[in-house]
Amino acid sequence: MKSNVLILKAILLLLGGNLVACDDSKEPEVVGTPPVAASEEVTAFFTTHLPESSYNCSEVKFNFSEIDFGETECFLINSTEEFEAVAPPSVVLPVIDFEKYTLIIGQHLLGDPGYSFGKQAVDTDTESGKMTLNLVYSRMGGASPTVITTFYVWGLYSKLPGSAIDVKITII
């Protein structure tokens, strides 16, 4: 009887340890500074002209290059002229104070449309000055069509130094 109690305690201890170790409710920490809250005008512009992915919209009119699977393209925009060069032609652009803010617009390819965008943040290495845009996506449940899908991102940040940025994508 005593050995059965010890075995039961050992099993419960192992199960309890696994429950703590497999806690999926904790969201991953995104390293860096998150984007600032954009005005309604800026948000409405990107909601209208830049979809979350190519799966729901076949033609994006932004001046993106054609990229291959696994590649990313990201624009660090610090002036109205740079914004005009990337934005769709003949569209009224929202007013952004580029003295205070940097706009990031980008695209990247993932294997299929079965992902949901979570968070983004820019991490700046103080020693090297290198900047990284950290993007977090979660894998949605269920089946997804096997269509290579382009995902689009944008964010408005307090003025960023430099003109180049790397992109790191994390999928949870």
Side-chain angles (χ1 to χ4, degrees), residues 138-161:
S138 58
R139 184 82 170 127
M140 296 187 297
S144 295
T146 54
V147 177
I148 294 179
T149 304
T150 305
F151 285 81
Y152 303 100
V153 296
W154 70 274
L156 190 63
Y157 290 85
S158 294
K159 196 67 171 180
L160 296 171

Side-chain angles (χ1 to χ4, degrees), residues 1-130:
M1 178 72 171
K2 194 174 188 179
S3 65
N4 287 345
V5 171
L6 287 175
I7 291 172
L8 182 60
K9 283 183 181 180
I11 290 171
L12 290 175
L13 187 62
L14 288 172
L15 287 175
N18 283 339
L19 291 175
V20 172
C22 295
D23 183 10
D24 291 336
S25 64
K26 184 179 178 186
E27 290 187 29
E29 186 175 319
V30 180
V31 178
T33 304
V36 299
S39 69
E40 287 183 30
E41 177 189 17
V42 172
T43 302
F45 174 82
F46 284 104
T47 300
T48 302
H49 298 289
L50 190 67
E52 288 183 19
S53 75
S54 63
Y55 184 68
N56 296 326
C57 179
S58 60
E59 187 177 337
V60 173
K61 296 189 178 7
F62 274 80
N63 192 17
F64 288 119
S65 302
E66 194 166 315
I67 60 173
D68 292 324
F69 181 75
E71 292 183 335
T72 61
E73 180 178 36
C74 198
F75 297 102
L76 217 67
I77 300 170
N78 286 304
S79 70
T80 302
E81 293 78 21
E82 291 175 356
F83 191 16
E84 289 171 345
V86 175
S90 306
V91 172
V92 177
L93 300 178
V95 176
I96 297 175
D97 184 352
F98 286 108
E99 294 294 318
K100 294 181 182 177
Y101 302 108
T102 297
L103 176 64
I104 294 177
I105 303 172
Q107 68 169 341
H108 56 90
L109 293 177
L110 291 176
D112 59 68
Y115 299 93
S116 174
F117 179 71
K119 297 179 182 179
Q120 65 176 303
V122 171
D123 185 32
T124 304
D125 185 322
T126 53
E127 291 181 21
S128 68
K130 182 179 172 182

Side-chain angles (χ1 to χ4, degrees), residues 31 72 132-136 166-170:
V31 178
T72 61
T132 303
L133 175 62
N134 293 306
L135 302 173
V136 176
D166 292 329
V167 178
K168 178 184 174 192
I169 298 169
T170 302

